[in-house]
Amino acid sequence: MGRKVFVSYKYADDQVENLTLFAESTVRDYVTEFEKRMDESDHIYKGEREDDDISNLSEDVIWQKLRDRIYDSTLTVVFISPGMKEPGKDDKDQWIPWEVSYSLKETSRKNKNGDAITSKTNAMIAVVLPDICGSYSYYLEDKTCCNSACVTHHTEKLFNIIKDNKFNIKDPDKGTCNAGTTVWRGEVSYIEAVKWKDFIADYNEYFDRAYNRQDNINNYKIEKSLS
C-alpha cells in the first residue's frame, strides 16, 4: 500500500551544501532530488512540487491547500536546514511549525456521504541537510560517549514543536557517563532525525521506522500544539 508523503521545508534556504558543481543549491533542490528518487509506484507525493506557483495566493488560501495535502498524507518528512528559522519571527509566524503541528493532530472531516473521517497522527521523520561546508554538526554532532560513538542533538536549533517531540519516549533507556553526560538508547524520539546522506541512500528504511513509531505512538508523549 502506497505511503502518502508530505514534505515540510524552508524553500529558499541557501545555507546548504551545493548538490552540483554548477549551481548554488537551496532546500528546494534537495526536495526535488528526493522527489526524483522516490518511487511513486509505491508512494504518493503530497507535498508542493517545484512547478507549483502559489505565490499569488493569500495566506489563508495557501494554508487551506497545505492542510488538504497534510490531511490526505500519512507521513511527514521535515527537512532541517541551517536557515530554516527566520530570525526575529515567532514560531507561529512561520510555515514549518504549523505544518508539523497539523501533521501531528487527529483531524475530522466529512466525506461525500457526510460521515466523519478522522485522520491519524502522521508518521514523522526529520531529515538533516548538510550545511554549506557539507557538515551536519550544526544539528547532529558526532561525539564519543562511554568509550563508543554517540551523537549530540542541538535541539535549540529547532522549532519548539519539533523540539518537544524529540526525546519524548515515556520510558527511556538512558544512562550517564563522561562527567555526567546523559546517553539515550533506542527509538527515543517520535520525530527521528537522520542525516540526508543516510536517508537518501535508503529512504524506505526510515519510512518503515517512522511507521513503526506511529504503530507504537502510545509509547511517546506527543505535543501537538504550538507554544
Side-chain angles (χ1 to χ4, degrees), residues 202-217:
D202 189 1
Y203 62 83
N204 277 309
E205 174 189 348
Y206 295 98
F207 282 9
D208 290 343
R209 287 166 61 160
Y211 280 100
N212 182 65
R213 291 191 299 275
Q214 184 191 51
D215 289 340
N216 294 281
I217 194 170

Side-chain angles (χ1 to χ4, degrees), residues 31-182:
V31 177
T32 300
E33 182 65 21
F34 170 53
E35 281 186 69
K36 291 177 181 177
R37 302 269 193 113
M38 190 172 69
D39 184 352
E40 291 207 52
S41 66
D42 291 331
H43 310 296
I44 301 170
Y45 182 76
K46 301 297 296 185
E48 179 186 9
R49 296 191 182 275
E50 189 171 20
D51 57 357
D52 287 345
D53 184 8
I54 58 175
S55 59
N56 61 333
L57 303 178
S58 70
E59 287 195 354
D60 287 343
V61 173
I62 292 173
W63 180 229
Q64 182 59 56
K65 288 181 176 292
L66 291 172
R67 283 187 298 178
D68 289 345
R69 293 177 181 183
I70 297 170
Y71 175 81
D72 194 37
S73 67
T74 60
L75 169 70
T76 297
V77 178
V78 187
F79 277 28
I80 306 298
S81 57
M84 71 175 184
K85 295 177 68 174
E86 294 186 42
K89 292 185 70 173
D90 289 340
D91 284 12
K92 291 182 178 180
D93 295 326
Q94 302 182 60
W95 286 113
I96 292 175
W98 284 104
E99 291 168 352
V100 172
S101 176
Y102 199 78
S103 296
L104 291 166
K105 290 179 178 178
E106 297 173 321
T107 306
S108 292
R109 292 187 177 187
K110 290 185 178 181
N111 63 16
K112 295 179 180 178
N113 297 323
D115 301 319
I117 304 297
T118 302
S119 65
K120 293 174 63 176
T121 293
N122 271 17
M124 302 282 293
I125 310 169
V127 177
V128 182
L129 302 183
D131 66 16
I132 56 176
C133 297
S135 173
Y136 297 90
S137 61
Y138 69 93
Y139 180 70
L140 293 173
E141 184 178 1
D142 294 323
K143 289 189 173 183
T144 300
C145 306
C146 306
N147 300 317
S148 63
C150 64
V151 179
T152 293
H153 293 239
H154 292 284
T155 56
E156 74 279 1
K157 301 292 181 67
L158 303 175
F159 291 108
N160 287 331
I161 187 67
I162 304 174
K163 179 179 178 180
D164 290 344
N165 289 287
K166 297 291 296 176
F167 301 97
N168 61 333
I169 194 165
K170 293 177 182 177
D171 187 18
D173 175 11
K174 60 181 180 178
T176 57
C177 66
N178 294 3
T181 300
T182 300

Side-chain angles (χ1 to χ4, degrees), residues 1-14:
M1 182 178 180
R3 280 113 176 228
K4 297 181 178 181
V5 183
F6 180 84
V7 180
S8 180
Y9 63 101
K10 179 66 174 178
Y11 190 108
D13 183 7
D14 60 0

